[in-house]
Amino acid sequence: MSATPQKNRASRRVLAAAAGLVTVGALVAAMPAGAHDRGHGHGGGHGHGHKPRTVDVQLLSFNDLHGNLEPPAGSAGNVSETQPDGTVKAIPAGGVEYLATSLRTARKGNPYSVTAAGGDMVGASPLLSGLFHDEPTIEALNGLDLDVTAVGNHEFDEGATELARLQNGGCHPVEGCYEKGKKFKGADFPYLAANVTKEKTGKPLLKPYTVWKKNGVKIGFIGVTLEGTPDIVTANGVKGLKFHDEVETINKYARELDRKGVKSIVALIHEGGAPASTSYNYDCDSPGAGDGISGPIVDIAKGITPKVDALVTGHTHQAYVCTVPDPSGKPRMVTSASSFGKLYTDTTLTYDRRTKDIVRTSVRSANHVVTRDQPKAPDMTRLIDRWNKLAAPIANKPQGWISADINGRGSTAPEKPLGNVIADAQLEGLAPADKGGAEVAFMNPGGIRADLVHKASGSEGDGVVTYGEAFTVQPFTNMMNVVDLTGAQLVTALQQQVSGPNEASPKILQVSKGLTYTLDLTKSGADRVVADSMKLNGEAIDPARTYRVAMNEFLAGGGDGFPALGEGTNKLVGASDLDLFNAYLAAHSSAAAPLAPPATDRITVVQ
């Protein structure tokens, strides 16, 4: 999902530019032997004698794990399930100990089983993984027997050289090896990036596709990230790279696979849609094929060649199993499994040995909850415990106290309680004249990665916010900027929340106290932000006046579809967003007087 990309704090300095993209060329050569054509080894074929004409291949898939090895806390760790009586129930889900058990249980009795992912396996990760540059997550994915994944936008948070290291292994160039006597092995599954090329050579950054093979059954996987990745990742993360159209790229490589005799093809696409209901068991083919889903994936699905038999998608963190018509008008399965390992999708692909193709009419698919009432996978528990021991000295330090849950990621409202806390923290830290003289602060909603949860996550006690929990909310450690913007530019920026690239899927900025305006959702485009309703500390915004505005460097670069915010001048670089957040918690809470969830009364919503 679009979010503030990661900027490493002092202890994680950005990789030296000198490293360049040199190591990336070695990616394909250094691919682990057999990673691209191994089966799971869960039993053989049908034994000796006559082979039946068709064989059912089980495709297990998930997306947007974001390094959530432990079960995500609070409302961000729930999935919605519609009950037979129409009521909606929240089910706690996720955590790799349970995901491993779910996948292993699902594979039983399925000799032909392949596991694929739709990108954003790493990046914007909680401290347990993020502190170690996501090595723990790659290790967990190896243990889950992941066969292949597409890259997502967050795989580029730390640049192409670091992505190459995650694939090939080797210790971090700045921080070295984290465990004595242990060298990071890298991913034993291929990362696919068919639509990402190197600007200098025009060659693919990574393998565009891979072919999974077992007993004569062949399935090709093509992986792409969204073409708009450069708009939602810092410039350093995508330096020297070009991102191409998803449909054109998939169609090109589907033709290539077809020429090589691979007729069964699955596309892994890090782009998605929004179903009409947030319940994972919603039927988005009601009343007709694909009627219940909107967003970029619909047009992409309609443009992808009929040679492709199923689409595994992601990025929007939504749950859906839909059929969207292909260019020939035939229905084709399009799936997404929410985020953070809370769901997995089980798709049956019936493979015809004679045509070497998937019998599309018999494709079946369903999402399943990764419940927390099943046994934990002992190997994943050991992995989490091992890395937790290394993280503990930093992770367990108390930063502040809260009186109740303060929802961020788990809030579906335009104005989120935790968004207000973060924006207020940024304003307070940067308001002094020598710190930038900020009068107002903006926070992008995608950069809020979790909730602050009152219940203790460890032994710290209820209501205590630890460094690990604060990091999980703000994992990018972006440097803050304070810039000059005119009132007119401020109005334009707020209108860009609901227009241009953000019109179909609005990105509502979280604003600091003192800024108020009306969001009229009965209108369309930029008109949804009522320009003459905007006030700062009770006074109408003056189009001609200059205001000092605080935001993270990602927004200050015009990221997330806010070019007006990129027009700021007279820039002062301040502390990191995480440092300001922790300073605010320390200043505004104590064990005796914890911080309460703030009122959400800055944006008046008309519906």
Side-chain angles (χ1 to χ4, degrees):
M1 203 160 193
S2 125
T4 335
Q6 184 157 326
K7 247 338 199 216
N8 305 325
R9 57 184 186 287
S11 71
R12 312 200 221 166
R13 284 178 287 278
V14 176
L15 304 184
L21 297 175
V22 184
T23 56
V24 178
L27 268 171
V28 177
M31 270 295 308
H36 51 286
D37 59 21
R38 63 191 172 102
H40 277 295
H42 301 293
H46 296 272
H48 300 293
H50 178 68
K51 282 183 176 171
R53 175 161 168 180
T54 63
V55 57
D56 280 349
V57 177
Q58 177 188 55
L59 170 63
L60 300 176
S61 57
F62 58 96
N63 50 277
D64 296 276
L65 181 65
H66 290 287
N68 278 265
L69 301 179
E70 295 175 297
S75 54
N78 292 335
V79 294
S80 298
E81 180 182 77
T82 300
Q83 305 302 298
D85 65 0
T87 57
V88 177
K89 181 180 171 188
I91 303 172
V96 294
E97 293 160 298
Y98 304 112
L99 179 60
T101 300
S102 287
L103 294 175
R104 288 164 188 171
T105 304
R107 288 176 192 139
K108 282 177 184 161
N110 289 285
Y112 294 83
S113 184
V114 56
T115 304
D120 276 7
M121 294 295 99
V122 301
S125 306
L127 189 80
L128 176 61
S129 187
L131 190 64
F132 307 107
H133 293 275
D134 282 313
E135 289 180 22
T137 297
I138 298 296
E139 188 185 325
L141 292 169
N142 289 344
L144 289 174
D145 279 336
L146 183 62
D147 285 299
V148 57
T149 183
V151 294
N153 51 292
H154 282 281
E155 262 82 17
F156 294 93
D157 281 351
E158 294 190 45
T161 308
E162 175 63 2
L163 175 55
R165 188 183 75 88
L166 290 180
Q167 177 77 85
N168 298 331
C171 298
H172 192 270
V174 177
E175 293 174 29
C177 299
Y178 294 112
E179 295 179 289
K180 205 174 175 182
K182 271 194 184 176
K183 186 182 167 191
F184 174 56
K185 288 178 183 158
D188 66 9
F189 51 88
Y191 260 113
L192 304 180
N195 65 332
V196 187
T197 57
K198 292 178 246 182
E199 273 178 358
K200 279 186 180 164
T201 64
K203 289 187 175 156
L205 172 69
L206 297 161
K207 283 168 66 91
Y209 59 79
T210 190
V211 181
W212 179 85
K213 300 173 189 166
K214 183 157 187 184
N215 297 340
V217 173
K218 286 188 210 171
I219 298 180
F221 288 89
I222 303 168
V224 298
T225 184
L226 68 153
E227 186 182 5
T229 292
D231 303 328
I232 52 175
V233 173
T234 50
N236 276 345
V238 293
K239 201 172 178 182
L241 302 176
K242 205 161 183 229
F243 292 77
H244 303 272
D245 181 84
E246 304 95 340
V247 174
E248 286 171 21
T249 304
I250 291 168
N251 290 352
K252 170 184 159 185
Y253 287 112
R255 285 193 299 272
E256 192 171 309
L257 281 166
D258 189 50
R259 280 198 303 271
K260 290 183 171 181
V262 179
K263 308 291 184 187
S264 298
I265 303 171
V266 174
L268 308 175
I269 308 172
H270 192 70
E271 177 62 290
S277 161
T278 54
S279 291
Y280 81 90
N281 56 341
Y282 164 68
D283 176 11
C284 56
D285 279 350
S286 174
D291 283 346
I293 187 168
S294 59
I297 200 61
V298 178
D299 284 340
I300 290 172
K302 285 177 178 171
I304 290 174
T305 170
K307 291 182 197 302
V308 174
D309 300 296
L311 314 182
V312 171
T313 74
H315 187 56
T316 56
H317 292 204
Q318 302 296 310
Y320 47 84
V321 172
C322 298
T323 56
V324 177
D326 71 12
S328 71
K330 289 184 182 146
R332 176 169 52 196
M333 198 60 79
V334 179
T335 68
S336 173
S338 183
S339 64
F340 301 170
K342 294 181 288 191
L343 297 177
Y344 71 91
T345 313
D346 188 336
T347 302
T348 302
L349 302 171
T350 301
Y351 182 90
D352 185 325
R353 289 184 186 276
R354 201 172 300 163
T355 63
K356 299 181 183 172
D357 207 347
I358 300 300
V359 183
R360 192 101 73 72
T361 50
S362 63
V363 174
R364 299 183 305 282
S365 193
N367 274 327
H368 300 277
V369 182
V370 176
T371 58
R372 298 184 197 166
D373 56 4
Q374 59 187 320
K376 295 179 178 182
D379 56 329
M380 294 295 153
T381 304
R382 287 193 297 273
L383 181 150
I384 288 169
D385 290 348
R386 210 178 82 234
W387 288 102
N388 260 331
K389 276 195 185 96
L390 286 175
I394 295 168
N396 296 340
K397 282 183 185 164
Q399 303 297 312
W401 289 262
I402 55 174
S403 64
D405 288 2
I406 304 181
N407 282 350
R409 193 79 192 175
S411 166
T412 53
E415 182 184 346
K416 306 171 191 310
L418 189 51
N420 287 357
V421 173
I422 291 169
D424 288 353
Q426 294 176 354
L427 177 63
E428 184 170 294
L430 301 170
D434 62 335
K435 298 280 195 276
E439 299 168 82
V440 64
F442 292 137
M443 174 64 194
N444 55 315
I448 306 167
R449 303 305 298 185
D451 303 331
L452 278 185
V453 178
H454 185 262
K455 191 176 187 307
S457 59
S459 58
E460 76 274 13
D462 289 352
V464 178
V465 180
T466 63
Y467 184 87
E469 290 164 343
F471 181 97
T472 298
V473 169
Q474 294 257 268
F476 302 107
T477 328
N478 263 309
M479 302 314 290
M480 291 300 299
N481 289 183
V482 186
V483 299
D484 283 351
L485 286 170
T486 64
Q489 287 169 318
L490 276 186
V491 173
T492 301
L494 288 179
Q495 288 175 331
Q496 286 168 350
Q497 300 176 113
V498 290
S499 63
N502 294 331
E503 180 158 5
S505 182
K507 290 196 178 82
I508 305 303
L509 295 166
Q510 307 299 289
V511 299
S512 55
K513 63 184 174 195
L515 185 74
T516 56
Y517 70 93
T518 298
L519 184 65
D520 187 347
L521 297 178
T522 66
K523 295 181 175 161
S524 62
D527 291 342
R528 285 183 275 188
V529 171
V530 182
D532 60 8
S533 70
M534 282 178 59
K535 290 179 180 174
L536 184 59
N537 302 321
E539 287 186 21
I541 296 287
D542 177 355
R545 196 195 130 190
T546 297
Y547 295 84
R548 292 291 284 163
V549 184
M551 61 194 116
N552 59 50
E553 61 193 328
F554 171 60
L555 277 179
D560 257 358
F562 290 99
L565 296 180
E567 294 166 7
T569 57
N570 194 16
K571 178 168 80 174
L572 183 138
V573 178
S576 76
D577 50 9
L578 182 62
D579 287 347
L580 292 181
F581 185 48
N582 282 330
Y584 186 86
L585 290 171
H588 291 270
S589 70
S590 64
L595 181 70
T600 49
D601 54 5
R602 300 169 191 184
I603 305 171
T604 302
V605 181
V606 178
Q607 283 180 315

